[in-house]
Amino acid sequence: MDKQKFRPSVLLVDDEPINIKVMRNALKDDYTTLVATDGERALSIVRSNNPPDLILLDIMMPGVDGYEVCERIKQDKQYANIPVIFVTAKSAEEEEIKGLELGAVDYLAKPICFPILKAKVKTHIELKRHRDFVELLLDKQYQEMESRNSLHEQDRMEQQASIQRYIEEIQENQQRLKLSLWGSGDEFWNWNLESGEFSRENPLPLQMPISAIRHDIEDVKSYVHPEDFAEIKQRFNDHLANKTDHFEASYRVKDSNDQWHWLLERGKVVEHDPAGKPRRLSGTLKNISHLKHTEQELLLAAKSFENISDAVWVCDENLIVVKINDAFTDITGYSAPEVVGRPLERPVSKSNDIALSPYVLEKAAIDSSWQGEVWGIRKNGSHFPQELQVSVLKDHQGSVTHYIGAFSDITYRKNSEEKLRYMANYDSLTGLPNRTLFMDRIKHGLEVARRNGHLMAILFLDLDKFKVVNDSLGHASGDILLKEVSSRLSDCIRDCDTAARLGGDEFTLLLEKINNADEISQVTNRILEALAEPINLVGHSFRVSASIGVAIYPDHGNDFKDLLRFADIAMYQAKSNGRNNAQIYTAEMNKNTLFRTELERGLRDMVENDELLLHYQPKVCLSSGVIQGMEVLVRWQHPKHGLISPDIFIPLAEESGHIVRIGEAIIRKACIEAKPWWSRGLVCGRLAINLSAIQFIDENLPERIDAIIEESGFPIDSLEFEITESTVMGDHVQAIEHMKKLQDRGIHLSIDDFGTGYSSLSYLKGFPVNTLKIDRSFVKDIQASHRDKGIVASIISLAHHLNLKVIAEVVENIEQQQLLTDLNCQEMQGFLFSKPLPGRELEALLLTHARKRA
Ligand code: C2E
Ligand code: CA
Ligand code: CA
């Protein structure tokens, strides 16, 4: 006998020869395999003389696809009972469901698993055989009934035996069916509507209160989501009413842990009672939570793709753009038609090489993503910083199929970071490095100097009398001055050096790669010279000077804090040395700092402790030799340090805010002490008191003076104030108002140190000034320097021209006196005539002077 003839046949339908080959290999030992590589061919094999016993049907095929093949087979009564198993791509659950709806008995997932393929094919072929057999049997029984008497006993026996065999096989097959169900993970249920008996096979592993008796669909209500129940009920009733072929619903159920799960339920009436009323329902239950979850995620992803503010591009493995979102267009200016289908405009990195280099892409492929800051380019050609995240999609073989880039424009963030970095490290007024950055530079500089064996110098620079300028000319002028100073400092140093502003009028400089101390003094000289050039402030040219302290690594220390402190100390030494000079630190200076701090502390109660001591220096008329008043010069009678010069403590009092109070005390004391000399007629002329600028612009000055005059009884019209040029500069309304008020009271004003501050003298016209006091520097060199003599001559002629009195100070010898007399100077003051004297000595001098004159 031909053995092949009794082997069941299986039709393999697939457009991929490789899939056919795989299935054929699995089945060829037990079945005859027929092959079709398209739908039409499959149909013609089915309709041939030898239809297959089972069909393995691929869904996705060109032309007539699997669904249609299945549908057409099921429409033809003759072939409708051939079991069809769909072969579907993995995880395409939707496909499975559709296939089952079309009448397929089962499905197989690709890639195909041999044991499952074999088990399913075997189960379904056998089921078919049994069905065919039962049909045959029924046919026979029918025929038997027709010819009741013709039945032979032997035939009956044979029939019984085959029925017995059939029952056994059915039992065996039920086992297989169970296995198959188990493999699919689905639950199979059976509901007897008459008895209410509800049985479950392969129940889903969910803890739900499903009872073994179900009378009504309402019984499930307790664990089904309220929003879903109405729909289930509707579909169920529709099916019972025979409105639908089967009943299907997806809905949510709550397990005993209060967790929700999505289920897909499909059922069908499988038995009716003789009256045609549904008697039994069967169906399956499937957990589709993961499907629903993916569906929601996909929805969300699609939504986010369009709605996120990050730009997104998707490229294929060759970096050809496949898709972009709206934000991409917003940020770059490129619309989808302009970029899709073209190579991705690759962002560059800061170093200007392509950021998405093959190397980076390779790395992204290995790590699944890459992240970095890069420079993107807009349609208008401009560059912008972007934070880019590249993710990689791979197929199941692990090869990259797509790159996905998401980026945001971080221009704003970059700018603010840059701004913050700048603010943290630079002085906003002058643009010089600030304290923080300077400290960094010193630390770094020290390391370099240590390594290379160089010297390094730290310079501490403080502008002389800056507070006075700032307070009298106003802060705007102070700012201009500081900016100008900064730019000059920067011009005095090399590229490897640093100039920084620590705050106020304090500057520091770091000189690196120094070979010897000479190089340092060259720089400090350059700075002092550069600062000596006039600066234009509020329309007038103005001169500043600075005191500079220097500390050197490694001569003075290794630690940056020590070096800074030493430079600061040296700077104070420069100040004490008369300002406008530079000093290199010596151990000796350390003592001075202590001294300075001690003085600052002592200033607080020097008035209360009556430590103010006044000296008086007479002024004389050059032509007559008569004493024309005197200047009050203050000293501090310090309990520990003896007499302290005003050059030392007045600036301290100005800086520490004590000057107004101390100045007032000086005026009061002078008026009280000098009053008897005037009332006794020992002296004519005026009592001249020096006023600090801060004192002068104090709003209560006129009232304070009134009070002192009231208290002391000194004749107010014999009073004179000496103020410096900078005090009356600028548009200080207060200053002019005060000058007028003082003049109204009969007080004279004298411009002290005249000629040093401003090169322009035009401002003098507007001011109610009485006297010009020629600065000592011109007097000092009047004999030797033609230039200074010329200056003195012009000041004198200017004074005459403006109808002002003129006086020369610090006249120390006869030659100076002679020259000044020749130049028509009216008065003089200086050691030549008298040193500043304590009150009692001055009184004695006045008495002898008066006696001589008499
Ligand atoms: P100044 O107003 O220019 O005073 C003149 C300075 O020259 C005084 O120094 C005086 O002692 C000194 N002097 C006078 N004649 C000669 C001379 O022939 N040769 C030399 N080498 N020096 C001479 P002093 O007393 O040390 O005062 C220094 C500065 O302190 C003053 O300069 C003034 O700016 C300030 N000062 C003094 N007393 C007061 C005061 O009561 N209030 C304020 N705000 N400042 C004061
Ligand atoms: Ca003076
Ligand atoms: Ca002076």
Side-chain angles (χ1 to χ4, degrees):
M1 258 206 309
D2 186 354
K3 200 180 163 208
Q4 292 286 319
K5 255 205 135 176
F6 295 101
R7 284 156 57 105
S9 65
V10 177
L11 172 59
L12 310 175
V13 189
D14 202 313
D15 59 325
E16 292 283 339
I18 177 78
N19 292 340
I20 301 252
K21 204 172 159 193
V22 167
M23 293 191 281
R24 195 179 210 163
N25 277 344
L27 301 174
K28 67 174 192 276
D29 290 346
D30 303 310
Y31 306 95
T32 303
T33 51
L34 308 166
V35 169
T37 49
D38 62 65
E40 287 296 356
R41 176 93 193 104
L43 285 168
S44 71
I45 292 176
V46 169
R47 287 169 188 151
S48 70
N49 290 339
N50 270 322
D53 292 301
L54 184 138
I55 304 169
L56 284 170
L57 185 53
D58 178 32
I59 296 175
M60 299 301 284
M61 288 187 296
V64 181
D65 68 6
Y67 293 136
E68 198 179 333
V69 172
C70 181
E71 210 167 0
R72 276 157 69 178
I73 291 172
K74 296 294 162 188
Q75 276 164 3
D76 197 329
K77 264 216 149 147
Q78 209 180 331
Y79 309 115
N81 61 349
I82 301 177
V84 174
I85 299 180
F86 271 118
V87 184
T88 68
K90 211 176 176 180
S91 85
E93 207 130 347
E94 305 273 327
E95 290 176 1
E96 291 163 17
I97 293 167
K98 188 169 175 194
L100 294 172
E101 272 169 12
L102 285 173
V105 292
D106 211 337
Y107 61 88
L108 267 170
K110 281 181 191 172
I112 291 165
C113 167
F114 282 17
I116 293 183
L117 170 71
K118 282 182 169 174
K120 287 199 173 177
V121 168
K122 189 167 183 204
T123 308
H124 288 293
I125 282 189
E126 274 168 41
L127 274 174
K128 176 174 183 277
R129 256 185 36 210
H130 293 304
R131 202 162 55 227
D132 289 352
F133 181 78
V134 170
E135 263 169 25
L136 203 78
L137 207 69
L138 287 174
D139 262 6
K140 266 193 173 172
Q141 276 180 342
Y142 181 71
Q143 281 169 13
E144 233 173 87
M145 269 160 45
E146 292 279 284
S147 51
R148 210 167 279 157
N149 299 326
S150 64
L151 197 67
H152 290 285
E153 181 62 11
Q154 198 181 348
D155 284 351
R156 206 182 56 81
M157 292 291 281
E158 260 177 36
Q159 233 178 45
Q160 262 188 350
S162 51
I163 287 174
Q164 181 58 36
R165 247 192 344 264
Y166 169 69
I167 289 168
E168 279 166 14
E169 278 183 37
I170 286 269
Q171 278 169 349
E172 204 179 298
N173 277 314
Q174 263 181 347
Q175 289 302 317
R176 291 214 184 90
L177 192 64
K178 268 188 188 169
L179 193 71
S180 175
L181 264 172
W182 176 80
S184 72
D186 294 356
E187 172 177 327
F188 181 79
W189 52 259
N190 204 21
W191 183 9
N192 188 323
L193 295 171
E194 279 175 356
S195 65
E197 194 183 324
F198 187 84
S199 62
R200 303 166 71 197
E201 296 264 356
N202 195 34
L204 292 180
L206 298 175
Q207 298 292 317
M208 290 183 305
I210 297 176
S211 78
I213 296 292
R214 179 182 287 181
H215 295 292
D216 195 294
I217 191 73
E218 290 283 340
D219 290 358
V220 305
K221 203 172 174 179
S222 65
Y223 57 91
V224 167
H225 197 288
E227 282 173 21
D228 301 338
F229 180 71
E231 182 79 25
I232 303 177
K233 191 174 168 182
Q234 176 72 40
R235 292 187 181 200
F236 178 77
N237 288 335
D238 282 355
H239 180 58
L240 286 196
N242 209 11
K243 287 187 198 160
T244 52
D245 171 57
H246 69 282
F247 130 79
E248 178 179 325
S250 51
Y251 56 89
R252 284 159 284 181
V253 295
K254 189 155 66 173
D255 68 13
S256 56
N257 295 325
D258 282 349
Q259 292 278 322
W260 290 100
H261 301 272
W262 275 100
L263 300 185
L264 171 68
E265 177 142 36
R266 309 174 74 235
K268 201 170 163 69
V269 174
V270 289
E271 216 181 307
H272 293 86
D273 67 8
K277 205 174 143 213
R279 178 185 278 161
R280 199 159 61 83
L281 273 163
S282 286
T284 55
L285 202 57
K286 197 177 189 64
N287 190 339
I288 55 165
S289 296
H290 64 288
L291 261 185
K292 279 282 174 188
H293 189 66
T294 331
E295 183 183 300
Q296 273 162 359
E297 274 191 344
L298 276 175
L299 216 94
L300 205 72
K303 268 213 170 112
S304 349
F305 182 77
E306 275 320 324
N307 293 338
I308 52 168
S309 57
D310 279 8
V312 180
W313 49 254
V314 181
C315 286
D316 67 10
E317 75 272 30
N318 298 316
L319 284 181
I320 302 296
V321 179
V322 180
K323 201 168 164 55
I324 59 164
N325 68 352
D326 291 349
F328 184 97
T329 307
D330 292 344
I331 293 178
T332 64
Y334 283 114
S335 66
E338 289 169 317
V339 285
V340 170
R342 303 203 178 147
L344 175 75
E345 183 96 57
R346 290 211 242 156
V348 292
S349 67
K350 267 233 163 117
S351 51
N352 239 23
D353 40 278
I354 301 294
L356 290 186
S357 63
Y359 165 74
V360 165
L361 294 176
E362 224 168 78
K363 224 175 120 41
I366 293 167
D367 304 342
S368 289
S369 71
W370 177 87
Q371 189 169 10
E373 279 180 15
V374 295
W375 289 90
I377 184 159
R378 294 196 188 89
K379 191 178 171 185
N380 64 16
S382 61
H383 284 77
F384 66 98
Q386 54 173 248
E387 187 165 278
L388 175 67
Q389 164 117 37
V390 182
S391 307
V392 168
L393 281 190
K394 296 177 189 174
D395 62 15
H396 57 276
Q397 263 134 17
S399 343
V400 173
T401 60
H402 292 89
Y403 293 100
I404 302 167
F407 64 84
S408 50
D409 180 346
I410 53 168
T411 309
Y412 179 76
R413 199 188 81 197
K414 280 269 136 191
N415 286 351
S416 0
E417 273 173 14
E418 194 53 45
K419 222 184 200 165
L420 267 180
R421 214 186 341 266
Y422 185 85
M423 271 162 34
N425 287 297
Y426 290 87
D427 170 43
S428 58
L429 176 67
T430 62
L432 290 183
N434 65 7
R435 183 184 293 271
T436 316
L437 184 55
F438 187 72
M439 294 308 163
D440 278 355
R441 297 257 169 103
I442 297 188
K443 287 179 216 163
H444 179 251
L446 273 173
E447 275 167 32
V448 177
R450 216 167 274 155
R451 228 179 298 128
N452 300 344
H454 279 134
L455 302 180
M456 189 183 87
I458 294 173
L459 275 57
F460 218 110
L461 183 149
D462 192 284
L463 294 181
D464 297 332
K465 305 204 170 177
F466 172 75
K467 194 168 163 39
V468 175
V469 175
N470 207 36
D471 286 358
S472 57
L473 299 194
H475 292 285
S477 298
D479 286 353
I480 297 171
L481 182 82
L482 289 172
K483 280 194 216 168
E484 180 59 29
V485 167
S486 303
S487 104
R488 291 186 190 185
L489 286 180
S490 304
D491 290 345
C492 291
I493 56 175
R494 301 158 302 164
D495 284 347
C496 63
D497 301 331
T498 304
R501 177 172 175 237
L502 297 197
D505 59 337
E506 278 183 1
F507 295 86
T508 44
L509 295 107
L510 183 68
L511 310 182
E512 297 190 55
K513 297 184 198 156
I514 298 284
N515 297 305
N516 52 58
D518 275 354
E519 289 178 18
I520 302 169
S521 39
Q522 278 165 25
V523 177
T524 52
N525 288 340
R526 250 202 323 269
I527 292 172
L528 293 173
E529 275 167 31
L531 293 184
E533 288 296 314
I535 291 175
N536 199 344
L537 280 185
V538 283
H540 303 287
S541 77
F542 182 72
R543 280 201 185 84
V544 281
S545 66
S547 304
I548 306 175
V550 183
I552 303 171
Y553 164 85
D555 300 7
H556 303 133
N558 298 319
D559 179 73
F560 77 93
K561 282 190 204 132
D562 287 345
L563 289 167
L564 261 177
R565 193 162 55 84
F566 294 153
D568 189 34
I569 290 171
M571 186 275 290
Y572 274 107
Q573 184 61 50
K575 282 221 183 276
S576 324
N577 288 10
R579 303 185 158 75
N580 197 18
N581 72 105
Q583 293 295 321
I584 294 181
Y585 174 78
T586 61
E588 187 70 10
M589 292 175 180
N590 222 342
K591 291 185 201 140
N592 293 344
T593 333
L594 296 175
F595 174 61
R596 190 188 130 88
T597 349
E598 203 180 340
L599 288 196
E600 265 177 354
R601 222 176 298 127
L603 279 173
R604 277 180 229 147
D605 26 44
M606 58 136 43
V607 176
E608 287 70 20
N609 293 349
D610 199 22
E611 290 164 7
L612 281 174
L613 181 67
L614 302 187
H615 282 191
Y616 302 86
Q617 187 174 40
K619 301 179 179 183
V620 270
C621 173
L622 273 167
S623 53
S624 64
V626 174
I627 294 179
Q628 299 285 343
M630 60 195 74
E631 179 180 3
V632 181
L633 292 160
V634 69
R635 279 93 184 86
W636 180 4
Q637 181 75 64
H638 195 277
K640 184 166 154 200
H641 300 289
L643 276 197
I644 294 170
S645 147
D647 271 333
I648 292 176
F649 77 85
I650 294 287
L652 276 185
E654 282 174 345
E655 279 157 29
S656 57
H658 293 296
I659 189 66
V660 172
R661 196 171 47 81
I662 294 173
E664 187 182 347
I666 293 170
I667 303 172
R668 178 176 294 107
K669 195 169 174 108
C671 287
I672 292 170
E673 282 185 1
K675 193 212 159 195
W677 308 328
W678 263 264
S679 48
R680 286 159 61 195
L682 289 179
V683 65
C684 57
R686 293 174 179 267
L687 176 71
I689 304 172
N690 290 288
L691 278 193
S692 153
I694 297 164
Q695 250 182 302
F696 192 73
I697 58 174
D698 171 47
E699 54 178 351
N700 300 318
L701 179 71
E703 290 71 33
R704 282 181 209 279
I705 291 167
D706 290 344
I708 291 169
I709 294 299
E710 174 95 38
E711 188 186 330
S712 64
F714 188 86
I716 195 162
D717 55 359
S718 295
L719 211 52
E720 177 170 346
F721 288 125
E722 296 191 5
I723 50 181
T724 55
E725 284 175 288
S726 60
T727 314
V728 294
M729 287 301 304
D731 299 322
H732 218 293
V733 187
Q734 191 89 308
I736 297 175
E737 233 173 64
H738 281 176
M739 285 171 109
K740 291 207 174 111
K741 279 190 181 167
L742 298 179
Q743 286 239 304
D744 290 348
R745 287 163 167 76
I747 299 172
H748 273 198
L749 286 173
S750 148
I751 302 289
D752 205 353
D753 307 338
F754 188 79
T756 49
Y758 300 86
S759 49
S760 158
L761 304 171
S762 56
Y763 72 93
L764 276 178
K765 280 187 201 154
F767 290 131
V769 168
N770 307 90
T771 308
L772 297 185
K773 198 164 185 182
I774 304 170
D775 187 69
R776 65 175 78 184
S777 57
F778 306 118
V779 178
K780 194 171 139 242
D781 292 330
I782 194 167
Q783 306 142 271
S785 159
H786 271 291
R787 180 181 163 268
D788 286 354
K789 189 179 164 191
I791 291 173
V792 172
S794 357
I795 294 175
I796 293 169
S797 96
L798 175 94
H800 291 323
H801 196 74
L802 292 172
N803 217 3
L804 301 175
K805 201 166 82 179
V806 62
I807 174 168
E809 64 177 345
V810 195
V811 179
E812 291 182 327
N813 55 53
I814 303 283
E815 290 77 24
Q816 288 168 337
Q817 183 192 17
Q818 193 52 55
L819 267 168
L820 287 164
T821 318
D822 294 348
L823 288 172
N824 248 338
C825 184
Q826 290 153 301
E827 286 181 12
M828 69 157 196
Q829 179 186 346
F831 291 179
L832 176 64
F833 183 75
S834 165
K835 288 194 167 184
L837 302 169
R840 209 173 305 138
E841 288 178 39
L842 191 268
E843 195 175 311
L845 175 81
L846 288 180
L847 282 169
T848 11
H849 185 73
R851 227 174 286 131
K852 258 198 242 165
R853 295 273 136 200

